[in-house]
């Protein structure tokens, strides 16, 4: 400990050349015991005069009021971490397990305990670079950045947090979402044949192919959502907290009629035999279906080949693609897919038999 020219002010010299300033005083409330208070680093803007002034304030407080070390402790407790913002966001938005899982896996351990005011664009960029180094695709990197940004924006807009979102200046990741892959009729038939003895997986696949519901949407279907009389199923859009209607084929509904009769009204349709009241997680389904899709349809394809690999989302893409192939109007497909914008649906128009090919072939004849 090196004494400075200021009374009661000292510093320690660190290996990297930085200094940590302290001040000492005799505590009259503790038998004049000598106390040491850490003020901060030179690299953080702390100088001898700062430590000296704090010491003077401590002596004054000790004689006339609250101990400055108590104030410092209170201020320390008031530090807001990124995890504080994240938990507020998840609670307010009743977020899906998928978003929470992404946060816990990729974000929490890196910046969860950091003071939000000390998280910079460089902090976010390094986090993303480290995730990229593990081989994750741009879609994952984009989702991580968007989640961090969304958590900041939620507190800024809903809880009046005064801070600049550090994600604003972080580079964006380009993602090609134009998935080309959908299952042909022969592939669907083959898939169902392979899985005919696995009721749970077959049920999930059928509901996905019959409604085009997103992964989490299918897992949220309860007995009360299926109306056998009208031949409809109420589907939940977890992103917008809204519902829309699906129209499964009569033959499929008839095939699960007996199964549904044995469920309680609030039971989940896709669920384990001894726990119908418990919603399955995406991971529980993913572990059962991904190896199957890889074995049947993904041999030789790069793991990052999102355009051509068959994944669980391929079932949704297959639903829309076959609607278009069968000549269903694009605006009807939009409603059945629960797309927010027609631009999301337009890509299926090229599969329609009325895509203009026949009209062009008939020109000038």
């Amino acid at each position: 400990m090196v004494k400075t020219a200021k009374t009661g002010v000292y510093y320690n010299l660190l290996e990297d050349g930085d200094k940590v300033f302290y001040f000492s005083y005799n505590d009259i409330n503790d038998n004049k015991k000598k106390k040491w208070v850490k003020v901060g680093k030179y690299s953080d803007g702390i100088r001898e005069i700062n430590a000296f002034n704090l010491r003077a304030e401590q002596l004054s407080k000790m004689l006339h009021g609250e101990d400055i070390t108590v104030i410092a402790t209170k201020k320390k407790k008031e530090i807001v971490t990124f995890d504080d913002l994240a938990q507020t966001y998840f609670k307010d938005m009743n977020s899906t397990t998928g978003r929470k899982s992404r946060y816990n896996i990729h974000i929490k351990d890196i910046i969860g305990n950091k003071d939000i005011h000390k998280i910079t664009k460089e902090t976010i960029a390094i986090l993303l670079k480290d995730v990229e180094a593990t081989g994750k695709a741009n879609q994952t990197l984009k989702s991580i950045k968007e989640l961090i940004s969304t958590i900041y924006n939620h507190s800024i807009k809903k809880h009046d947090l005064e801070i600049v979102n550090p994600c604003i200046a972080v580079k964006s990741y380009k993602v090609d979402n134009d998935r080309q892959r959908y299952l042909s009729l022969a592939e669907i038939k083959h898939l169902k044949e392979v899985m005919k003895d696995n009721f749970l997986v077959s049920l999930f696949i059928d509901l996905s192919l019959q409604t085009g519901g997103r992964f989490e949407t299918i897992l949220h279907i309860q007995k009360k959502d299926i109306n056998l009389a009208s031949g409809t199923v109420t589907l939940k859009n977890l992103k917008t907290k809204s519902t829309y209607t699906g129209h499964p084929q009569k033959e499929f509904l008839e095939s699960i009629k007996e199964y549904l009769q044995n469920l309680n009204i609030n039971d989940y349709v896709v669920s384990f035999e001894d726990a119908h009241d418990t919603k399955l997680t995406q991971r529980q389904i993913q572990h059962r279906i991904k190896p199957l899709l890889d074995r049947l349809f993904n041999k030789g394809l790069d793991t990052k080949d999102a355009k051509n690999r068959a994944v669980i989302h391929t079932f949704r893409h297959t639903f829309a693609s076959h609607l278009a192939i069968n000549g269903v109007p694009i605006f009807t497909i939009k409603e059945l897919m629960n797309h927010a914008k027609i631009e999301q649906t337009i890509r299926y128009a090229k599969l329609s038999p009325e895509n203009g090919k026949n009209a062009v072939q008939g020109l000038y004849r």
Side-chain angles (χ1 to χ4, degrees):
M1 192 78 74
V2 180
K3 190 178 187 308
T4 70
K6 301 292 184 182
T7 303
V9 177
Y10 302 79
Y11 69 85
N12 265 340
L13 190 61
L14 303 179
E15 292 183 0
D16 61 2
D18 204 354
K19 295 178 182 178
V20 181
F21 288 96
Y22 299 79
F23 70 77
S24 67
Y25 69 98
N26 296 318
D27 191 348
I28 62 175
N29 296 316
D30 191 12
N31 297 318
K32 295 188 176 180
K33 184 177 179 180
K34 192 169 188 177
K35 300 288 182 68
W36 291 89
V37 177
K38 179 180 176 180
V39 180
K41 295 181 180 180
Y42 188 93
S43 60
D44 291 332
I46 300 300
R47 301 294 184 267
E48 292 177 29
I49 189 62
N50 301 118
F52 180 75
N53 289 338
L54 283 173
R55 181 177 185 275
E57 185 179 347
Q58 166 61 27
L59 296 176
S60 176
K61 291 287 184 180
M62 190 167 55
L63 292 172
H64 305 105
E66 191 174 15
D67 193 316
I68 193 172
T69 57
V70 174
I71 297 174
T73 300
K74 286 184 177 180
K75 287 183 177 179
K76 186 175 182 180
K77 289 181 180 179
E78 290 171 0
I79 290 176
V80 178
T81 67
F82 186 75
D83 192 56
D84 293 330
L85 301 191
Q87 298 310 321
T88 297
Y89 168 73
F90 292 138
K91 181 179 179 181
D92 289 353
M93 302 304 292
N94 192 24
S95 293
T96 63
T97 54
R99 289 210 130 191
K100 291 178 182 177
S101 177
R102 185 178 301 120
Y103 171 74
N104 290 329
I105 293 173
H106 299 296
I107 302 172
K108 185 174 182 179
D109 290 345
I110 309 301
I111 62 173
N113 291 326
K114 286 186 177 292
D115 182 339
I116 57 172
H117 296 285
K118 292 185 178 180
I119 296 175
T120 64
K121 65 178 182 180
E122 287 78 15
T123 308
I124 308 298
I126 291 172
L127 182 155
L128 293 170
K129 186 175 181 180
D130 289 343
V131 174
E132 186 176 13
T134 66
K136 297 298 181 183
N138 279 8
Q139 178 62 62
T140 300
L141 299 172
K142 181 173 181 285
S143 297
I144 293 172
K145 180 194 168 186
E146 287 179 348
L147 180 54
I148 295 173
S149 183
T150 298
I151 289 171
Y152 266 109
N153 286 337
H154 178 75
S155 284
I156 291 171
K157 295 176 181 179
K158 301 297 184 181
H159 297 281
D160 299 321
L161 177 67
E162 295 183 0
I163 195 172
V164 176
N165 188 334
C167 290
I168 293 175
V170 179
K171 78 167 186 176
S172 297
Y173 288 87
K174 186 177 180 181
V175 177
D176 186 353
N177 282 324
D178 186 20
R179 289 184 180 273
Q180 303 292 333
R181 188 70 164 98
Y182 65 89
L183 300 182
S184 67
L185 293 177
E187 288 174 326
I188 294 172
K189 183 178 180 179
H190 183 39
L191 177 62
K192 287 188 174 185
E193 178 63 26
V194 171
M195 296 310 303
K196 65 181 180 180
D197 295 326
N198 189 323
F199 180 76
L200 177 68
V201 173
S202 292
L203 183 58
F204 177 87
I205 293 173
D206 278 329
L207 281 169
S208 299
L209 291 173
Q210 294 271 330
T211 67
R214 298 174 177 87
F215 199 155
E216 198 65 32
T217 295
I218 300 301
L219 295 181
H220 270 81
I221 297 175
Q222 295 168 282
K223 176 181 177 178
K224 63 186 178 185
D225 296 321
I226 298 180
N227 188 325
L228 293 175
S230 63
T232 60
V233 56
T234 299
L235 302 168
K236 300 178 179 68
N237 185 325
L238 282 303
K239 291 183 178 180
T240 61
K241 311 297 182 184
S242 61
T243 62
Y244 63 105
T245 302
H247 305 273
Q249 293 173 340
K250 293 179 180 180
E251 296 81 4
F252 167 67
L253 291 177
E254 187 63 32
S255 71
I256 63 170
K257 184 176 181 179
E258 185 177 343
Y259 169 71
L260 293 175
Q261 288 174 346
N262 294 320
L263 298 181
N264 294 320
I265 193 69
N266 289 316
D267 282 348
Y268 291 93
V269 177
V270 180
S271 53
F272 291 138
E273 187 175 354
D274 57 347
H276 292 303
D277 60 342
T278 303
K279 186 185 77 65
L280 296 184
T281 65
Q282 290 192 16
R283 182 169 294 185
Q284 288 171 315
I285 289 293
Q286 184 85 348
H287 284 339
R288 289 166 169 79
I289 296 181
K290 183 180 182 300
L292 173 67
L293 296 177
D294 287 343
R295 177 165 58 86
L296 295 179
F297 309 122
N298 296 331
K299 287 182 180 179
L301 292 176
D302 190 282
T303 55
K304 292 183 179 181
D305 188 355
K307 280 190 176 184
N308 298 298
R309 287 182 66 83
V311 295
I312 289 179
H313 190 75
T314 301
F315 299 145
R316 177 170 166 81
H317 192 50
T318 297
F319 174 74
S321 297
H322 281 278
L323 286 174
I325 290 170
N326 282 279
V328 176
I330 201 70
F331 281 97
T332 301
I333 297 176
K334 173 184 178 295
E335 295 304 312
L336 291 172
M337 291 290 284
N338 194 230
H339 282 156
K341 299 178 180 179
I342 191 63
E343 287 79 6
Q344 296 173 274
T345 321
I346 287 296
R347 60 177 172 169
Y348 298 107
K350 62 187 178 184
L351 298 172
S352 171
E354 296 303 322
N355 62 5
K357 178 180 178 181
N358 293 336
V360 174
Q361 294 301 314
L363 284 177
Y364 318 122
R365 293 184 180 180

